[in-house]
Amino acid sequence: MSAMVCLQHVTKEFTAGKQTVRAVDDVSLEIERGEIFGVIGYSGAGKSTLVRLINALESPTSGTVVIDGETITGRTERQLRPVRARIGFIFQQFNLLGSRTVAGNVAYPLRVARWPKERREARVAELLEFVGLSDKARQYPDQLSGGQKQRVGIARALATSPGLLLADEATSALDPETTRDVLDLLRRVNTELGVTIVVISHEMSVVSYLCDRVAVMEAGKVVEEGDVYTIFSSPQQPVTRRFIATALHDRPGPDVVQRLRERHRGRIVTFGVRDGHGSGTFLSEQFRAHRVDGSIVYGGITDIGAKPLGSLTFELVGTEVDVDALLVTMREHTDVVEYGGPLTPTDTTVDEATADAATDDDARVEVAR
Amino acid sequence: MTGTEMLPLLWTAIGQTLTMVVSTLAIGGLAGLALGVALYTTRPGNLLENKPVSTVLNAIVNVVRPIPFIIFITAVQPLTIQVTGASYGTASVIFPLAIMATFGTSRIVEQNLVSLDPGLIEAARAMGAGPLRIIGTVIVREALGPLILGFTFLFVAITDMSAMAGAVSGGGLGDFALTYGYQRYDYVVTWVAVGVIVVIVQLAQLLGNRLAARVLHH
């Protein structure tokens, strides 16, 4: 069975005056049928252009786009319309037609597809039921909350039963609680209707909650790609580490380390928590075996793809020999970051990614806003 | 002039003015809507982006629109005779009125469409809609409220132009006020003409506001 989406060396350039900007730079990707695939990157990384190449709103400068086994590159505008009609698309700003009711908005793609009135009405009722907005059918979009608007957007995108749904920053205009509702709805779309979903986001938490696999984009290129747990547990690129730090918040930054050292007399050490390693019982067993007392002073564990991931920072109290022996054992099982104690601070061991995450990244997020 | 003398003349003048304004609004409004949509959609980055067409249309609109209407009527008179077969009378002035209204309308339409959220057009494209469908069901439909208000504004402008057309030969309330009021130093006649025009314009404004409010469902 062929992939749902296959991009082969796709490049997209935009020319404005004499300047040429390469928004997407030689990207090759395969998105399998039935999966939820995330594309993450900062603003301007090329994610929105990438998703518009997938549904043929943009044509690539070079390279080939294959959707569901069909090559769509090189077709005329008129030939592309039926291709677009078979791909659902939801937008950050919802893009609902203000002059039409909720039902009218959901019916719009069915009108484009020339469905007869009766089938159209039945389908609209079914879709509104699915997204939980049956009682809002006669209302207008400006009477709805953001979350409700995006539900209408999802119902509209699903109207013609597409096999592929593209979500371009679909939750970025929503508050955290509404975001969760909409993400749950998207997951239902995937599991109950079997729709392949491509999620574009700048929020790693969205990707970690929803996606099976993820591609990280930077300056038009896909710099890292893989299943979400692997990317989270062993990121290779600096940009990926920064994104992960925003989602996990599990490691202390330099300023936090400083305060921990001031507050605690023991040695401050961070243990990575991975699937099968560094779990709670394993840690307490090792503490007992090495006669070391450990109390948690910082950390967090997140569920990524139904597996635990994160890290815990301990204040370790015991003889120096015992603590050293504990750390040697732990290093065999998980990653260990030592911040030293109040008398012997080992600044050099503050690992690069953590320092990066706490300073550089916060500044970047501010800029992005 | 006594009331009984004035009334039949006034009725005729009102009839002529309404004929001019309504016909002009119908012809110039439709043609202007088409031209305005063309100006908007051919702009760079828009649905039917087309630099040469956009440049030519803009040049034509920019050349014609600033011509003072009273001069425009006389300037296009040879063409008016060709098209309407007459050089004077209410029917003949509808021709220059409609042309001028078309260009005026086109800019009003374009300005109202520019504020349209491009995301709506992108959404319709993403659903597989073609350009003609998008123009009809998204661009014009979504801007309908402001467009109706634009057309109401246009009604007032055409009423203004029709008074000038009256001075040149078209008849109507402008002609009535000038011939029986201004030239005979009979201010009462002028004021009656002014009063009637104010009432017509107010009624049109009221109707326009009502329609727009309905479309905007507020």
Side-chain angles (χ1 to χ4, degrees):
Chain A
M1 200 157 67
S2 65
M4 186 50 116
V5 178
C6 180
L7 304 180
Q8 294 158 351
H9 302 289
V10 171
T11 293
K12 176 66 182 179
E13 291 176 347
F14 292 103
T15 310
K18 285 177 186 165
Q19 280 217 308
T20 299
V21 178
R22 188 170 285 195
V24 172
D25 190 359
D26 191 23
V27 168
S28 296
L29 272 183
E30 283 211 358
I31 298 170
E32 300 301 326
R33 218 173 288 268
E35 75 174 332
I36 304 185
F37 190 89
V39 178
I40 192 157
Y42 291 111
S43 315
K47 339 182 269 300
S48 284
T49 305
L50 186 78
V51 77
R52 279 160 181 76
L53 288 164
I54 295 175
N55 82 333
L57 278 174
E58 301 281 2
S59 298
T61 308
S62 65
T64 313
V65 180
V66 183
I67 304 293
D68 208 1
E70 259 184 89
T71 303
I72 61 164
T73 310
R75 295 193 181 190
T76 63
E77 173 74 15
R78 190 178 287 271
Q79 289 170 326
L80 288 174
R81 278 180 226 154
V83 176
R84 292 183 195 135
R86 290 199 303 270
I87 301 172
F89 203 114
I90 55 176
F91 303 85
Q92 177 173 6
Q93 296 302 333
F94 324 123
N95 292 348
L96 301 179
L97 300 168
S99 67
R100 290 167 200 263
T101 59
V102 165
N105 269 283
V106 178
Y108 189 85
L110 301 173
R111 283 175 185 273
V112 173
R114 302 184 193 286
W115 282 39
K117 190 163 184 276
E118 274 177 30
R119 271 185 70 203
R120 214 163 58 209
E121 283 174 357
R123 178 69 179 149
V124 169
E126 189 183 355
L127 288 158
L128 290 180
E129 174 82 33
F130 181 78
V131 300
L133 287 176
S134 297
D135 55 329
K136 306 283 185 201
R138 297 270 145 256
Q139 297 204 6
Y140 285 91
D142 58 8
Q143 297 170 298
L144 303 180
S145 69
Q148 289 170 331
K149 283 181 192 165
Q150 196 56 290
R151 284 166 182 274
V152 177
I154 292 170
R156 180 175 72 174
L158 295 174
T160 54
S161 307
L164 175 63
L165 177 65
L166 310 177
D168 186 11
E169 298 280 6
T171 58
S172 301
L174 304 175
D175 62 59
E177 198 175 332
T178 316
T179 292
R180 191 53 67 99
D181 289 344
V182 168
L183 295 182
D184 286 338
L185 176 58
L186 287 176
R187 183 170 282 167
R188 270 179 64 214
V189 168
N190 176 254
T191 53
E192 291 177 29
L193 308 178
V195 176
T196 307
I197 303 180
V198 179
V199 175
I200 301 292
S201 185
H202 68 276
E203 292 169 298
M204 203 65 185
S205 55
V206 167
V207 170
S208 69
Y209 188 68
L210 198 60
C211 298
D212 305 312
R213 288 200 303 141
V214 61
V216 184
M217 279 191 84
E218 191 179 31
K221 288 181 185 289
V222 169
V223 295
E224 198 162 354
E225 185 199 342
D227 74 86
V228 170
Y229 194 83
T230 309
I231 294 284
F232 264 81
S233 54
S234 49
Q236 303 300 312
Q237 299 293 328
V239 60
T240 313
R241 286 191 209 129
R242 282 199 294 270
F243 271 118
I244 288 164
T246 63
L248 293 180
H249 295 292
D250 61 332
R251 295 189 179 210
D255 51 333
V256 176
V257 169
Q258 187 60 40
R259 282 197 292 277
L260 291 176
R261 281 187 193 137
E262 285 162 11
R263 258 201 319 265
H264 302 285
R265 56 191 177 86
R267 282 161 72 171
I268 307 296
V269 177
T270 298
F271 298 116
V273 179
R274 303 269 173 85
D275 189 27
H277 298 290
S279 69
T281 34
F282 178 77
L283 272 171
S284 43
E285 278 166 16
Q286 293 305 317
F287 286 167
R288 252 200 316 277
H290 290 89
R291 298 173 300 278
V292 172
D293 278 332
S295 55
I296 297 173
V297 293
Y298 196 90
I301 300 171
T302 310
D303 184 69
I304 307 282
K307 295 173 195 166
L309 183 69
S311 56
L312 295 173
T313 301
F314 288 86
E315 176 201 16
L316 300 180
V317 181
T319 67
E320 196 155 341
V321 179
D322 285 342
V323 172
D324 284 342
L326 169 72
L327 295 185
V328 168
T329 313
M330 287 306 293
R331 277 205 178 88
E332 288 165 14
H333 296 278
T334 184
D335 50 329
V336 175
V337 183
E338 214 186 327
Y339 299 105
L343 300 173
T344 55
T346 49
D347 284 297
T348 46
T349 53
V350 175
D351 94 339
E352 217 176 281
T354 311
D356 219 15
T359 53
D360 192 354
D361 183 64
D362 285 355
R364 268 166 190 269
V365 170
E366 282 307 313
V367 171
R369 275 174 197 148
Chain B
M1 201 189 313
T2 64
T4 41
E5 281 174 328
M6 197 188 340
L7 214 53
L9 292 169
L10 182 62
W11 279 123
T12 311
I14 291 173
Q16 288 169 334
T17 290
L18 286 179
T19 307
M20 284 190 276
V21 173
V22 172
S23 320
T24 304
L25 190 65
I27 302 166
L30 275 180
L33 180 65
L35 182 56
V37 167
L39 284 169
Y40 168 72
T41 50
T42 57
R43 276 170 161 244
N46 281 9
L47 190 61
L48 301 171
E49 176 175 357
N50 190 321
K51 192 90 189 282
V53 171
S54 175
T55 309
V56 170
L57 289 181
N58 270 296
I60 296 173
V61 173
N62 288 341
V63 166
V64 176
R65 232 163 53 98
I67 303 174
F69 185 59
I70 198 139
I71 298 170
F72 183 75
I73 299 175
T74 55
V76 295
Q77 204 164 40
L79 202 58
T80 307
I81 295 170
Q82 290 280 312
V83 175
T84 67
S87 60
Y88 67 93
T90 304
S92 77
V93 295
I94 289 173
F95 178 72
L97 271 172
I99 295 178
M100 209 44 153
T102 300
F103 288 101
T105 312
S106 65
R107 281 288 182 227
I108 295 176
V109 169
E110 186 195 16
Q111 279 160 17
N112 279 312
L113 297 183
V114 166
S115 58
L116 201 68
D117 178 4
L120 299 181
I121 293 159
E122 188 182 42
R125 286 187 65 213
M127 288 182 263
L132 274 181
R133 181 187 288 273
I134 292 173
I135 288 169
T137 61
V138 179
I139 296 177
V140 173
R141 174 94 185 249
E142 290 297 313
L144 202 55
L147 282 178
I148 289 172
L149 292 174
F151 279 95
T152 310
F153 172 82
L154 196 72
F155 184 98
V156 180
I158 294 172
T159 308
D160 178 25
M161 288 199 297
S162 80
M164 277 188 263
V168 178
S169 70
L173 286 162
D175 188 20
F176 173 81
L178 287 174
T179 310
Y180 303 106
Y182 177 68
Q183 284 170 12
R184 294 186 185 179
Y185 303 103
D186 190 342
Y187 286 107
V188 176
V189 172
T190 308
W191 292 337
V192 168
V194 169
V196 171
I197 289 173
V198 168
V199 169
I200 290 175
V201 167
Q202 287 301 315
L203 288 175
Q205 188 71 53
L206 193 72
L207 183 70
N209 289 348
R210 285 272 172 88
L211 275 176
R214 224 172 129 165
V215 170
L216 294 167
H217 29 259
H218 288 314

